[in-house]
Amino acid sequence: MMALSMDSLLTGILSNRRRAASFKRLGILTVGDALTYYPFRVTPSIPRGTLRQATPGQKTAFLIRVLNTRVTSMARGKARVLSLVEDADIDSAALPTRDSRAPAKETLLRGATPSARAQLVFFSYKPQYLSWISGRLPAGATAVVCGEPSLYNGFLQFTHPDIQVVGRDCACADEAFQALTVPRPVYHATASLSSERIHETIVDLLHAIQASDNPEAIVPTVVPASVREANHLMSRLEALTAIHTPQSPKQFQDGIRSMRYEEAFLSQMALLEARRATQNETAFPCAQPTVSDSGLVSQLIEHLPFELTDGQKDVLAHIGQDMTSSRPMHRLLQGEVGSGKTIVALIAMLQAVQAGYQAVLVAPTQVLAEQHYATITRQLKTALGKSAPRVVLLTGALRLHEQCTALATVANGEPCLVVATHTAFSKKFQAPKMALAVIDEQHRFGVKQRDSLLDKSDRTPHLLVMTATPIPRTAAMTWFGDLDFSELQGVPSGRKPVQTFVIPEADARSMARMFVHCRQRINAGERVYIVCPAIETEDEGSNAAGTAVDPNLDLFEDHSEQDMSRTDGLAVSPLHSVEEMVERLPRLPQFAGVGFARLTGRDDVTTKARVMRGFIDGKTPVLVATTVIEVGVDVPQASCIVIFNSDRFGLTQLHQLRGRVGRGGTDAWAFLVSNAEPGSLAAQRLEVVRTSSNGADIAQADLELRGVGEVLGDVQAGSKSSFKLLRVVKDAPVILQARDDAARVLDADPELVSNPQLAGAVLDFLRGNEKFLMRS
């Protein structure tokens, strides 16, 4: 075999090309991929015994000697192999051998002692299989048999047991027992690659590594020895060996624990290194406003039509203090939908402008950017009048001369507030005096985009990233460890909780009552959202495969006992589309004379602006949309939201959508239209949203019911995460311990000079997990 490394390709190692191709279809390309393709369980250890000790129903392994074997025909072309066996350690001189002239079963079992003998039975329609089995068990053969005995006519019988023939399958009885009684790993398999073949290949790789001159060089251990000893962990090679060839269930669990800790340790090392790298950068210090001064910040707060919540004041105190430093702030602000993150961002931006610098707010969509621009401009003009600083709107939809004027204003360093879309990431955008960068709904942007924005200034700007996606603290620490974490508690006064109802779509009466309620709210001057997961549906033979699904949909599939790793984005049942509902709903008597509009991510900027104006003005009080309305859309008159196929959405996305209504202080309702079966996982998930308005509780439930990867967005096309074992909710203590250990290692050796293997592993981890670590 060629020289091995963790990066060696399986296609250059495996002689079986079909098997190599099957591994490739599983995403297993290298030796490292194979060794970290972990089994999802192991079989229990099986005790050794003798036929004398056999207990019906209790799986045991026995060393036996074959007395005779025969093939008998059955009805409908079926046949069976019958082998009479005995304990291999008893004297069988007086026992009968195979007698081909005595076909009766009584002859085969004549003189048998049930406590010392048993019968092995194999059924099949295939002559080749029958011939193969009978050929493996000739009279006089010795084998280890493993199976669950039963009694048939008072005689001990094993049906289709596992067998290892001594001298054929293995060299000795001990080797045969080893093959059948130790725990066996079980892997997620495919039709072309069974769990047994996966295990066989991985074991062969481990044997080749262990037979090499320096196994530890091929599978280097990256967790320092002092950390391993303190946490009672194995080396990497020991852990992988324990996982794939365990001698006991405990050894398997110890191996899993060691590799799980390694993932936690590498993630925390990478995040702490990223954080420490920013400490050497320089930012523009911005003096923190005081209560007594009469600057822009104080004037704005004084003229707000509402009082800041305690949560907003607390967060602003932390942000204001961070911005006084010449060391760049890196802070994540998580707040409930409607908790007032935008006003916090505006006050922080004014602190930068008041200090003579620039502040940039980046929004993920044109609609949201224009909404922020209008809100900020109105608030500043009301509070500050003529002393209000300039607010610059920069989007791709501006006319060329408007865009050039905006770019020039920012490029000359004039103190101002900039509201932008992705245009801020382009090379033509420069903000030399940018003291603060605010990224709204930051999960919509990649890390490279975020970093490119920070390079637009003469100094590294302070960074404030905001998200309404509820993130439990342990998840935030794992995913955003390079950022300080602030949680905006509470909601502005006047906001009422949204009344939430789950409506079975098959219940026609409930559906009709829901539409009647929506019409009543429209008659009261309010607005209604109708949300669908798909944009359009094929006219004929419409099904999930023929549906254009909203690309922003956090699609959940309740596969129950099926493979939950499926991420093909296709619904099991048909998805309702915007196109369908715009056609159907206006024909209902409840909506007679009501104007409808539609909005999807495919609409251009002009269309989106026109649709939103008509919705806000009341010309079209019903807006049928995809999840494009999920982020930042603020229509105070909206009081009802109807979400079709709600059982197919993620919980946090449902919570975000629900936050689009009730923003004007009126009563609000959310109707989750569902096709979920009572008692199913999907029904349980909807019950969480119905009964809770706390985003943190919902996020926690979403993590527990679905897994952190799906909730926080690591399952993306083209992305691949190194987290295969770490569970953010259940393994919170492991993450905390790993963070402390990583901090101590970096304190003692900041450049990791004494541990180059760890330095390389951290670098590899960062390269492979950039989006995974920094996106929600």
Side-chain angles (χ1 to χ4, degrees), residues 361-367 369-370 394-396 419-425 445:
L361 169 62
V362 183
T365 66
Q366 172 80 23
V367 171
E370 291 181 345
L394 184 60
T395 72
V419 180
T421 56
H422 292 73
T423 309
F425 303 130
F445 302 102

Side-chain angles (χ1 to χ4, degrees), residues 307-357:
E307 186 174 346
L308 296 175
T309 65
D310 291 339
Q312 289 170 321
K313 292 175 183 177
D314 183 58
V315 168
L316 281 168
H318 285 99
I319 294 173
Q321 183 60 43
D322 287 349
M323 290 178 62
T324 63
S325 173
S326 58
R327 180 176 296 171
M329 171 184 74
H330 284 73
R331 185 170 291 277
L332 169 68
L333 175 59
Q334 186 269 315
E336 289 280 353
V337 175
S339 60
K341 297 184 298 297
T342 304
I343 190 63
V344 169
L346 174 56
I347 292 172
M349 293 171 75
L350 269 187
Q351 180 175 338
V353 174
Q354 183 172 303
Y357 302 113

Side-chain angles (χ1 to χ4, degrees), residues 323 345-346 348-350 352-353 357-363 372 376 390-394 406 410-411 414-425 429-440 452-454 456-457 461-466:
M323 290 178 62
L346 174 56
M349 293 171 75
L350 269 187
V353 174
Y357 302 113
Q358 299 169 314
V360 178
L361 169 62
V362 183
H372 279 323
I376 290 172
R390 176 179 291 194
V391 182
V392 177
L393 177 65
L394 184 60
V410 181
E414 176 186 339
C416 61
L417 294 85
V418 181
V419 180
T421 56
H422 292 73
T423 309
F425 303 130
F429 177 74
Q430 295 296 324
K433 298 299 181 182
M434 177 168 47
L436 174 65
V438 181
I439 299 182
D440 193 15
S452 71
L453 179 63
L454 302 184
K456 305 292 186 181
S457 178
H462 299 289
L463 176 67
L464 177 65
V465 293
M466 304 194 299

Side-chain angles (χ1 to χ4, degrees), residues 6-20:
M6 293 291 276
D7 296 323
S8 297
L9 294 174
L10 293 183
T11 52
I13 298 172
L14 300 183
S15 57
N16 188 325
R17 298 303 180 195
R18 285 187 177 181
R19 187 176 297 186

Side-chain angles (χ1 to χ4, degrees), residues 554-636:
D554 182 12
L555 191 67
F556 169 80
E557 299 190 42
D558 184 1
H559 297 292
S560 300
E561 298 300 319
Q562 302 177 40
D563 180 8
M564 292 300 291
S565 64
R566 176 180 169 189
T567 56
D568 54 13
L570 298 181
V572 175
S573 57
L575 300 177
H576 289 296
S577 69
V578 170
E579 180 184 64
E580 170 199 359
M581 288 302 166
V582 167
E583 290 293 322
R584 284 178 52 189
L585 295 183
R587 294 200 293 263
L588 294 178
Q590 294 94 330
F591 293 118
V594 173
F596 278 71
R598 56 170 286 168
L599 185 68
T600 74
R602 291 181 180 177
D603 294 324
D604 58 35
V605 173
T606 304
T607 301
K608 288 178 180 177
R610 175 176 51 78
V611 168
M612 289 307 299
R613 278 197 303 271
F615 184 59
I616 293 170
D617 295 343
K619 294 179 181 178
T620 50
V622 180
L623 179 61
V624 184
T626 59
T627 56
V628 70
I629 67 163
E630 173 192 357
V631 176
V633 174
D634 187 2
V635 180

